[in-house]
Amino acid sequence: MINIALPKGRLGEKVYEKLAKAGYGYVDDAVDSRKLIFQSADGSVSYFWVKPSDVAIYVEKGAADIGVVGKDILLEYSPDVYEIMDLNIGKCKMAVAAKNGYKDDSLVTLKVATKFPNIAKEYYEKQNRDIELIKLNGSIELAPILKMSDVIVDIVETGTTLKENDLSVIADVCPISTRLIANKASYKFKKEEIDTVKEKLK
Amino acid sequence: MENIDGLTVEERLSLTLSALYESYGFLRYKTTKFEKYSLYTENENFLGTDRVITFTTDGGKLLALRPDVTLSIVKNSGFSNGGCEKLFYTEKVYRYDKESKSFKEISQVGVETLGDVDTTSMAEVVELALESLKKLSSDFVLDLSSLEFVTQMYDAYEIYDAELKKELSDCLEKKNNDAVEKLLVGGKISKDFADAFKAMLSISDAPEIALEKIKPLIKSQSMQRAYDELKALTDALAESDCYGGLRIDFSVVSDCQYYNGIMFNGYVLGMPKAVLKGGRYDGLAKKMDKEIGALGFAVYVGDLANAHHTKQKPMTLVLCGDGEDSDILREANKLREKGLIVRVTKTVPDDINADKIFKFENGELKEIK
């Protein structure tokens, strides 16, 4: 039996659908019920629905053998896991955005609001830029509007939210997509099963 | 795992492993918990952190609670030429844990070989690592890698940029094929190198199979030498009882410049991360002006012990009731003579798993459960 941590939401459902179609079979109410754990029809796979940002933790700690997680989470938390496949779904980018018309003054400390302090820190460290990090948990776009920060570092998918709030991307940090990750110890003892799942997701 | 009554899981593991190392003629290394702080500031790269617990002595010396044992062993080694110094230790070290953002006490049992570290000594240490894992579980894997082979592959393909090497090392550590592909698409590496590197990255096999996969990747004499070293080492281990648990896997890497040659990580079924880590670190000895080879590993016995919930043994309670002190002690001892674990108490404690309860009533001991 292999344990898979799936992120609650569209991406997790897409991966579940793909695995079910590829031969693991469908489970009644797998997506709609409030059940957090369910098994594939043939009993070879056990799925968990978890908060997207927690998937890497479940895999690193060995509660799940493999998991489906965004590259943003991997970059932010650097879990000690194998990153075995780019699923090429959930594509977006990590970017720096500011209010339209914003002009950067390199002589002052840049105020950066973000949900991803480690990614932001590393990005500006490479540029030797002095920053003040403001860690937020949501509605990041509000920070520059209220002049709490100069810029934000956040995930940009379509750019609609930015546009609606008079913000725009001023620099790209890195591309993001969804990855299949594996617990290192699980990979030693369940390599064949993990490789089978990987093949089915190709 | 041997069953020794009265000891915690951690103590049992430490004893079992110590006995194993002693049987190979390794000598116990014992040291104080304190070390000069400067040892760690001078070797921050080896340690991987600058965060240690420090304090000042009455004389104004800055000391640290030991975050590592290897540094002290190498520093104190008086070994120069001929043969090997073979040591083992059972120590607690104190390291900063990024996850909990606080210092943690870590229990380690480890082995160090210093001196003329030839193939025989290397094979012996790897065999000891395999034997250690076998003592912990019947299902185990030891991943063995050669940093030398990886380094020589970079040189053979003229990859010298430190930043790029760091990215490649990260790909190797995470078995991230797609990231290698992106470096190729981005023009940072050649097609030939990407193909060879991806082939190396996907290896996670028993030595015979892995060596066959490595052979076609050899592009220089230096790579050939690293391959020969790996082959000689695995050949030497082929008749060992634990050989079945050995794999070659290049995802065991280190950014630490003091590591060279072989590196290995050990896993046992049921533990989510490596429980044994080791490798060759001649560079550290050289930094301390010692022209010797150095190879060792540590077993994280604390992590292993934490994964086992200690089951309390059933206990017999003797409730004092109205019994005389001398009667209570005598009757309790009588029960102990029958092989029972007996606790004398006034009331029944909530945290005790009592299978029998006796009570003194009207001066007589009666079984009430």
Side-chain angles (χ1 to χ4, degrees):
Chain A
M1 160 101 59
I2 186 165
N3 299 314
I4 308 180
L6 292 174
K8 279 181 196 163
R10 197 168 40 85
L11 283 175
E13 288 165 20
K14 208 168 173 178
V15 173
Y16 161 70
E17 186 74 27
K18 211 167 174 182
L19 286 170
K21 246 187 213 167
Y24 288 114
Y26 289 89
V27 186
D28 289 342
D29 297 335
V31 175
D32 299 325
S33 82
R34 283 170 179 263
K35 255 178 99 174
L36 297 173
I37 301 176
F38 56 100
Q39 270 184 24
S40 66
D42 64 356
S44 60
V45 172
S46 179
Y47 302 97
F48 315 144
W49 289 121
V50 301
K51 196 176 168 182
S53 55
D54 289 343
V55 169
I57 301 171
Y58 279 85
V59 175
E60 187 181 24
K61 300 285 179 194
D65 299 309
I66 56 174
V68 172
V69 63
K71 181 71 180 172
D72 50 328
I73 302 296
L74 298 177
L75 289 170
E76 181 60 26
Y77 298 105
S78 306
D80 187 18
V81 294
Y82 286 139
E83 194 178 321
I84 52 177
M85 193 181 166
D86 186 344
L87 294 170
N88 280 314
I89 53 173
K91 284 186 172 181
C92 53
K93 65 181 177 185
M94 186 66 67
V96 183
K99 275 199 84 176
N100 287 328
Y102 168 78
K103 287 255 176 338
D104 185 18
D105 179 358
S106 60
L107 298 177
V108 297
T109 300
L110 188 72
K111 283 186 274 187
V112 184
T114 185
K115 261 196 284 188
F116 304 97
N118 291 327
I119 295 176
K121 209 168 111 191
E122 201 186 322
Y123 175 73
Y124 285 107
E125 255 173 19
K126 277 185 185 161
Q127 301 176 12
N128 298 325
R129 185 70 203 263
D130 200 14
I131 61 162
E132 178 190 328
L133 269 175
I134 303 165
K135 165 85 168 73
L136 294 175
N137 297 305
S139 303
I140 315 294
E141 295 82 5
L142 207 53
I145 296 171
L146 299 176
K147 298 197 169 107
M148 186 164 80
S149 76
D150 299 311
V151 297
I152 62 171
V153 169
D154 204 11
I155 288 173
V156 179
E157 283 178 68
T158 57
T160 314
T161 317
L162 291 179
K163 210 172 170 185
E164 283 176 359
N165 289 291
D166 196 27
L167 302 166
S168 53
V169 170
I170 56 169
D172 289 348
V173 177
C174 62
I176 302 290
S177 59
T178 306
R179 311 296 165 104
L180 183 68
I181 57 171
N183 173 274
K184 287 191 170 179
S186 296
Y187 195 77
K188 310 297 154 200
F189 300 104
K190 297 182 179 178
K191 186 173 183 295
E192 221 168 281
E193 289 159 278
I194 292 173
D195 284 344
T196 307
V197 174
K198 189 178 154 184
E199 279 307 308
K200 287 185 192 291
L201 287 173
K202 265 185 184 167
Chain B
M1 211 185 304
E2 283 167 32
N3 189 16
I4 305 162
D5 281 346
L7 298 179
T8 63
V9 177
E10 187 181 310
E11 287 163 342
R12 259 186 276 152
L13 289 171
S14 300
L15 269 178
T16 305
L17 294 174
S18 298
L20 170 69
Y21 307 145
E22 270 177 344
S23 75
Y24 274 66
F26 281 62
L27 301 178
R28 183 182 284 272
Y29 178 87
K30 184 80 189 134
T31 181
T32 60
K33 282 195 166 28
F34 315 126
E35 182 68 80
K36 272 187 186 171
Y37 175 59
S38 57
L39 179 67
Y40 305 116
T41 50
E42 285 161 13
N43 297 288
E44 197 182 309
N45 183 279
F46 182 78
L47 213 54
T49 176
D50 60 347
R51 304 191 77 152
V52 287
I53 302 173
T54 57
F55 61 96
T56 313
T57 64
D58 286 351
K61 272 187 194 165
L62 191 57
L63 297 183
L65 259 180
R66 191 182 306 285
D68 172 86
V69 182
T70 304
L71 277 166
S72 306
I73 290 183
V74 179
K75 187 195 81 172
N76 295 328
S77 168
F79 224 69
S80 53
N81 289 316
C84 270
E85 190 171 21
K86 299 180 180 191
L87 305 166
F88 76 93
Y89 59 85
T90 302
E91 295 284 345
K92 292 194 190 309
V93 294
Y94 302 86
R95 286 186 190 159
Y96 185 74
D97 176 47
K98 281 181 194 162
E99 204 178 334
S100 61
K101 293 186 175 146
S102 59
F103 282 92
K104 264 174 93 172
E105 184 180 78
I106 297 166
S107 298
Q108 285 186 345
V109 177
V111 158
E112 308 288 352
T113 299
L114 304 160
D116 180 14
V117 181
D118 56 7
T119 308
T120 315
S121 324
M122 282 202 290
E124 191 181 48
V125 171
V126 176
E127 184 177 61
L128 264 183
L130 285 161
E131 289 284 354
S132 303
L133 293 171
K134 194 181 165 189
K135 294 268 182 204
L136 307 173
S137 168
S138 53
D139 277 321
F140 62 90
V141 168
L142 186 76
D143 276 351
L144 176 69
S145 164
S146 164
L147 286 188
E148 189 62 16
F149 189 82
V150 179
T151 309
Q152 294 308 332
M153 183 186 261
Y154 292 150
D155 284 354
Y157 285 92
E158 296 177 347
I159 290 174
Y160 303 117
D161 179 52
E163 190 78 14
L164 179 57
K165 279 188 195 174
K166 170 92 186 58
E167 280 185 68
L168 288 165
S169 169
D170 196 50
C171 294
L172 210 50
E173 189 182 6
K174 297 196 175 320
K175 287 196 177 287
N176 192 342
N177 241 316
D178 298 303
V180 180
E181 197 59 38
K182 274 172 195 152
L183 288 173
L184 170 65
V185 173
K188 287 187 170 178
I189 53 175
S190 69
K191 172 94 173 64
D192 285 353
F193 174 76
D195 289 344
F197 196 75
K198 283 196 285 185
M200 179 170 71
L201 178 149
S202 67
I203 292 169
S204 184
D205 302 284
E208 300 86 358
I209 301 167
L211 288 165
E212 281 306 309
K213 290 183 181 176
I214 298 169
K215 237 190 234 171
L217 309 179
I218 298 169
K219 207 189 167 215
S220 68
Q221 282 185 353
S222 306
M223 284 175 83
Q224 180 69 49
R225 272 197 296 276
Y227 168 87
D228 291 343
E229 183 188 72
L230 203 54
K231 185 167 186 317
L233 175 63
T234 54
D235 282 353
L237 289 161
E239 283 176 32
S240 162
D241 287 347
C242 311
Y243 184 68
L246 186 63
R247 305 244 179 98
I248 292 180
D249 190 313
F250 289 93
S251 67
V252 188
V253 296
S254 172
D255 292 330
C256 172
Q257 67 205 50
Y258 301 134
Y259 279 106
N260 59 299
I262 57 163
M263 278 196 87
F264 44 91
N265 281 351
Y267 300 86
V268 293
L269 189 65
M271 291 296 290
K273 57 182 182 179
V275 295
L276 181 153
K277 289 183 177 182
R280 187 153 184 168
Y281 53 93
D282 298 2
L284 180 70
K286 195 170 183 180
K287 185 171 180 283
M288 294 186 181
D289 297 324
K290 295 178 183 189
E291 289 294 331
I292 52 170
L295 173 68
F297 65 81
V299 182
Y300 294 83
V301 286
D303 288 350
L304 283 155
N306 284 337
H308 292 83
H309 290 279
T310 314
K311 212 174 160 189
Q312 197 184 77
K313 286 178 184 164
M315 203 181 278
T316 300
L317 298 181
V318 172
L319 301 178
C320 301
D322 56 10
E324 293 290 328
D325 291 342
S326 58
D327 294 341
I328 294 169
L329 295 181
R330 186 185 60 248
E331 293 303 323
N333 277 330
K334 274 188 190 169
L335 291 169
R336 284 187 195 110
E337 279 164 16
K338 291 179 185 169
L340 298 173
I341 298 170
V342 182
R343 181 194 271 213
V344 174
T345 174
K346 282 190 174 123
T347 54
V348 179
D350 295 336
D351 57 345
I352 295 296
N353 171 22
D355 68 336
K356 277 184 185 173
I357 303 177
F358 293 87
K359 190 177 180 184
F360 271 95
E361 282 174 0
N362 302 321
E364 275 186 36
L365 189 65
K366 289 178 184 161
E367 187 169 346
I368 58 169
K369 184 193 165 188

